[in-house]
Amino acid sequence: MMTMQKFTPKREQGFTLIELVMVIVILGILAAFALPRFADLSGDAEQASVSGARGAVQSASAIVRSAYLARQPSDGVVVLEGEDIGTVGGYAAATSIGLAAQLSSEFDVDTDTAGVATISQGSCSFSYTQAEVDGDGNATTAPVISPVSC
């Protein structure tokens, strides 16, 4: 005699709709907390860019001074990579520091009559104050480069 086996349908394995909705809700909550941390990175990038320009200005100032001391130009002009860099007391003049540092056109370099160049990009900036000189044209102070402010 044949025995009849009981037929039980296989239960499908998968996620229910409520489980999927809960996962989406949890991911939404996590994204709401994480997004503000990553969304405003443009300000950090701007500050880093201006800090890099400040480093380039510091290096350019030192290179101009070294070239001036090595060459002792009679007209006070140091030639770096084919560019004439004006000097004040053997240091880069405020009017020439952007050229000496090879800053790109992304940076605004504004020089006033007191020998201060303000280098800015967006809301971040720093200043380069050229060396002060005595009556004989000798530097009495080195250039001053301010910290970056945003």
Side-chain angles (χ1 to χ4, degrees):
M1 182 172 231
M2 268 176 123
T3 58
M4 299 271 284
Q5 288 186 347
K6 211 178 190 187
F7 177 73
T8 55
K10 289 185 177 178
R11 182 180 157 126
E12 293 289 325
Q13 297 294 322
F15 297 107
T16 64
L17 182 59
I18 191 71
E19 290 171 329
L20 291 175
V21 168
M22 290 306 294
V23 168
I24 292 171
V25 167
I26 290 169
L27 289 176
I29 291 169
L30 290 174
F33 284 104
L35 186 62
R37 298 187 86 179
F38 299 110
D40 191 25
L41 295 178
S42 62
D44 294 340
E46 191 174 83
Q47 184 175 6
S49 178
V50 174
S51 292
R54 184 179 182 275
V57 166
Q58 284 178 314
S59 296
S61 178
I63 290 169
V64 169
R65 179 66 173 164
S66 299
Y68 180 86
L69 292 173
R71 299 177 188 153
Q72 295 290 318
S74 59
D75 60 355
V77 175
V78 175
V79 179
L80 296 177
E81 297 192 16
E83 299 289 343
D84 292 343
I85 309 300
T87 62
V88 173
Y91 293 95
T95 55
S96 299
I97 195 62
L99 184 62
Q102 297 179 344
L103 297 178
S104 71
S105 60
E106 296 174 9
F107 295 95
D108 295 321
V109 182
D110 297 318
T111 307
D112 65 15
T113 56
V116 178
T118 303
I119 296 100
S120 62
Q121 180 184 45
S123 63
C124 296
S125 66
F126 67 96
S127 63
Y128 173 88
T129 304
Q130 69 187 19
E132 293 180 14
V133 294
D134 60 16
D136 296 328
N138 299 317
T140 58
T141 64
V144 177
I145 302 170
S146 72
V148 173
S149 64
C150 291

